[in-house]
Amino acid sequence: MEEERGLVVATERYGSAESWKYLGKDGVMERRRDGSEGESRGNSIVGVFKSVFLPQGYPESVSKDYLQYQFWDTLQAFSSSLSGTLATQASLKGVGVGNQEATVAAATITWLLRDGTGMLGRILFAWQKGTKLDSEAKKWRLFADVLNDTAMFMEILAPYFPAFFTLIVCTAGIFKSIVGVAGGATRAALTVHQARRDNMADISAKDGSQETLVNLAGLLISLVLIPLVTDNPVLTLSLFFLFTILHLFANYKAVRSVVMETFNEARLSIVLQQYLGDRRILSPLEANQREPVFFEFRKTVPIRLGVRLQEVVQSPEELNLALKNNNMPFLLGVRNGCVCVCLGPEASVHDEIRAMCQAVWLSSMLTPTSSEPLPPFISLLYINRGALSVLRGTHFYFYFFKGHWEMVHESHKVMDTIFNPFLKGVEAAGWDMKRTLLDWDEWRVEWKTKSS
């Protein structure tokens, strides 16, 4: 049959979706699709849908977690759209829509106050937390959605407290402005992760198309819901809680499905602690599954990266202590209950990762592991055949009561032993070592050694 059509002179494909071949016979070249003829019609419909709502080159042009994340993100957007309809109806009722005694001026003032406080909240939040949104995108993404549901719940309840209506809607407006900043910024961070061909704009545009389609579906369903919930607060609250549960569940599954290959503080700490325990390197999937997506309030020793020199050392003697056993382009110190890292201008990405590893090690050593407070400076170090490992849990504890500079020196010794094998291991496991999501501040310091 193939010989009757001609010889195959060339083949081509469109990503992994379509493949074609060119047949030459009697001086004529004919283009035919690979596969059965019956598939062509169905594939063309699917192809149109993909071209409208999925990035060009899908699935090769996006990360492996793209489809799963988009499924849950679409579901949460749908439920949020329905919850937003209920909240909007309550807000309109609260400002006087349908009430003959309400004035246009009063409603306008209330709306302007809500928008004005929201603008201020947006500026203040971006100022205070803008740098955290890249390094902790999952946490802030989930936080934004919880805060959004809280704001909509306040808007639904506001009409039942007319004396405090303006205060409630202004507070809800501040919450929603924070949601706008956190949600938009973390969406951009996740888009950077998903883009594998420098196609951030295409992914963002198609994500917008998906959300528009979902909102359109939500709008159609809202047209049916509005007559049912009008003047029925019990049904309104019942539906709101149903949609909220669905919204939060879908958001949790969405951020849990994201597998980032770059290190932030949480992922690096998880991988390092596992390596110190049994010399096993966790893959990006394993580490992301363990990464917390809610903000934690347990007591730990915080880490500050890229600080000023005076936050690490405050005298020439302390500078000499910081440089002892240290030939790296960074300085570490413990000051005011924090592990502080001062970075030199020539530090590479690998130097930043090593500095963070040492800071994580120091933080874990200074953080109590039980309800009993431990002495302020304890080095937990076990030496076995030249290998250094941290012992915790049911293992034997070796307590060396030392000053914090001795612990800093100990951390250099630990990293001199384990960091190079650790670095090779994480690269082999599939981690991206060309960049990080560690939250470095901008201070860079050049210091002089005692000999110079």
Side-chain angles (χ1 to χ4, degrees):
M1 189 68 175
E2 188 73 23
E3 293 179 356
E4 295 179 3
R5 295 181 177 179
L7 297 175
V8 177
V9 296
T11 60
E12 66 182 5
R13 64 184 181 88
Y14 187 83
S16 61
E18 301 176 11
S19 60
W20 299 77
K21 55 189 176 183
Y22 290 84
L23 305 174
K25 186 178 181 180
D26 299 331
V28 178
M29 190 165 64
E30 181 183 1
R31 183 172 182 261
R32 290 185 179 273
R33 186 190 186 99
D34 271 349
S36 62
E37 297 295 331
E39 293 178 352
S40 179
R41 176 67 177 175
N43 285 343
S44 64
I45 296 175
V46 173
V48 170
F49 181 86
K50 286 183 177 181
S51 65
V52 173
F53 294 106
L54 294 176
Q56 179 176 310
Y58 172 86
E60 289 85 2
S61 62
V62 296
S63 58
K64 294 180 180 179
D65 55 15
Y66 177 83
L67 186 61
Q68 186 178 5
Y69 173 80
Q70 292 301 126
F71 170 78
W72 291 112
D73 188 55
T74 300
L75 184 60
Q76 69 85 19
F78 176 73
S79 55
S80 180
S81 176
L82 297 179
S83 297
T85 298
L86 300 177
T88 300
Q89 184 203 31
S91 296
L92 293 174
K93 181 179 179 181
V95 297
V97 174
N99 185 356
Q100 295 180 352
E101 298 179 359
T103 64
V104 174
T108 303
I109 290 173
T110 300
W111 219 258
L112 290 176
L113 287 173
R114 189 194 72 162
D115 289 347
T117 53
M119 292 174 188
L120 291 176
R122 185 179 298 113
I123 294 172
L124 292 174
F125 178 77
W127 170 46
Q128 288 294 319
K129 298 296 182 181
T131 58
K132 299 288 184 182
L133 301 178
D134 282 303
S135 59
E136 297 181 334
K138 295 182 186 180
K139 290 182 179 179
W140 284 108
R141 177 73 178 173
L142 196 55
F143 170 83
D145 290 305
V146 172
L147 197 62
N148 187 51
D149 289 333
T150 303
M152 288 191 290
F153 181 61
M154 293 174 66
E155 289 178 340
I156 290 175
L157 292 182
Y160 302 101
F161 300 92
F164 303 98
F165 178 80
T166 301
L167 176 62
I168 293 174
V169 296
C170 286
T171 305
I174 294 174
F175 287 176
K176 284 195 169 184
S177 69
I178 293 174
V179 171
V181 175
T186 53
R187 183 185 294 272
L190 293 174
T191 302
V192 172
H193 157 69
Q194 292 172 338
R196 295 303 156 99
R197 292 182 181 173
D198 295 325
N199 56 341
M200 284 180 54
D202 185 28
I203 291 177
S204 181
K206 296 301 170 56
D207 184 70
S209 296
Q210 295 168 20
E211 189 166 346
T212 301
L213 180 64
V214 170
N215 289 335
L216 179 60
L219 176 64
L220 297 176
I221 295 178
S222 297
L223 293 175
V224 179
L225 285 181
I226 291 299
L228 299 177
V229 300
T230 302
D231 299 324
N232 192 338
V234 175
L235 181 59
T236 299
L237 288 174
S238 298
L239 289 174
F240 175 77
F241 284 123
L242 176 64
F243 296 146
T244 297
I245 291 172
L246 179 61
H247 179 235
L248 294 179
F249 174 75
N251 268 294
Y252 176 79
K253 296 292 288 184
V255 296
R256 271 291 177 215
S257 68
V258 176
V259 180
M260 289 190 169
E261 299 91 357
T262 49
F263 280 131
N264 64 357
E265 181 178 338
R267 291 189 288 272
L268 180 56
S269 178
I270 290 168
V271 175
L272 180 63
Q273 294 291 352
Q274 183 69 46
Y275 182 75
L276 289 171
D278 60 9
R279 292 297 186 271
R280 185 168 71 90
I281 298 292
L282 296 178
S283 67
L285 177 59
E286 292 173 313
N288 277 267
Q289 288 175 342
R290 298 187 190 183
E291 181 185 5
V293 294
F294 295 102
F295 288 104
E296 299 176 305
F297 299 99
R298 60 189 178 92
K299 188 176 181 181
T300 59
V301 176
I303 297 173
R304 298 179 59 197
L305 303 174
V307 301
R308 294 172 293 181
L309 180 63
Q310 67 181 21
E311 296 182 55
V312 176
V313 299
Q314 294 185 336
S315 68
E317 290 75 15
E318 283 196 327
L319 178 58
N320 289 331
L321 287 172
L323 292 170
K324 182 180 178 182
N325 299 331
N326 179 17
N327 57 357
M328 303 304 297
F330 56 81
L331 302 176
L332 287 95
V334 180
R335 183 76 60 186
N336 298 325
C338 297
V339 177
C340 299
V341 184
C342 187
L343 195 66
E346 73 279 12
S348 65
V349 173
H350 287 182
D351 293 327
E352 293 179 3
I353 294 173
R354 170 164 173 159
M356 188 65 194
C357 287
Q358 286 188 232
V360 168
W361 188 89
L362 282 169
S363 176
S364 65
M365 295 305 99
L366 297 170
T367 300
T369 56
S370 66
S371 58
E372 293 293 329
L374 295 179
F377 301 110
I378 295 177
S379 176
L380 310 178
L381 191 65
Y382 176 65
I383 306 178
N384 179 22
R385 295 183 182 177
L388 301 175
S389 62
V390 176
L391 296 182
R392 291 192 174 280
T394 59
H395 294 81
F396 294 101
Y397 275 56
F398 290 81
Y399 298 104
F400 298 91
F401 295 84
K402 301 179 179 180
H404 72 273
W405 287 117
E406 288 300 319
M407 293 191 65
V408 171
H409 302 157
E410 208 76 74
S411 73
H412 286 298
K413 295 177 183 178
V414 172
M415 288 301 128
D416 286 341
T417 303
I418 71 164
F419 183 70
N420 286 335
F422 175 75
L423 190 63
K424 293 178 181 178
V426 293
E427 288 178 336
W431 289 96
D432 182 5
M433 305 303 290
K434 296 179 182 178
R435 65 186 187 95
T436 68
L437 293 174
L438 302 174
D439 188 23
W440 288 94
D441 205 345
E442 295 303 311
W443 293 103
R444 297 296 181 269
V445 181
E446 293 187 59
W447 53 84
K448 295 182 179 181
T449 62
K450 191 172 183 179
S451 60
S452 63

